Amino acid sequence: MIKFIAPIALLTISNVFMTFAWYGHLKFRSTALITVILVSWGIAFFEYCFQVPANRIGYEVYNAVQLKTIQEVITLIVFSLFSVWYLKEQFKWNYLVGFVFIILAVFFIFKKW
């Protein structure tokens, strides 16, 4: 059971770091671009420290397409929370509709045909 959950937990942590590395600097628009690039690279290091083991462990129970699908769903959830909480952006109804379609994609990818 832990081999199924561990990659999801590690990918979630990885995605929190990734989201801050890629989008956290948007609140600091007056900071020099080179500075935010270097800070983002530093944050991304920690993302990889969780992402690489997540995929290594996850590949024992999921195939590569399933791992990527899990990662994308986690990314959308983390980013949605981040954009509302950290960037103070509004979550719109059409985003939810798009997520429903992504859930359908997850169904088709994980369904045993």
Side-chain angles (χ1 to χ4, degrees), residues 25 27-36:
H25 62 87
K27 286 185 87 171
F28 303 98
R29 306 243 334 139
S30 62
T31 304
L33 185 57
I34 188 67
T35 301
V36 296

Side-chain angles (χ1 to χ4, degrees), residues 75-109:
T75 296
L76 288 172
I77 293 168
V78 169
F79 182 77
S80 295
L81 295 171
F82 174 86
S83 66
V84 170
W85 170 73
Y86 186 77
L87 296 177
K88 308 294 186 208
E89 294 185 355
Q90 183 181 7
F91 190 84
K92 299 180 180 179
W93 70 269
N94 56 315
Y95 303 165
L96 184 60
V97 171
F99 290 164
V100 168
F101 284 109
I102 292 168
I103 291 167
L104 285 172
V106 171
F107 167 77
F108 283 104
I109 289 170

Side-chain angles (χ1 to χ4, degrees), residues 2-19 44-60 62 67 70-71 74-75 78:
I2 192 137
K3 287 197 177 212
F4 288 96
I5 296 171
I8 295 170
L10 291 169
L11 284 172
T12 301
I13 296 166
S14 167
N15 271 278
V16 170
F17 282 109
M18 178 193 70
T19 302
F45 168 78
F46 294 101
E47 179 225 339
Y48 277 86
C49 288
F50 289 96
Q51 182 267 339
V52 171
N55 287 326
R56 178 74 59 101
I57 295 166
Y59 197 60
E60 295 177 18
Y62 302 109
L67 275 170
I70 292 167
Q71 187 269 328
I74 292 169
T75 296
V78 169

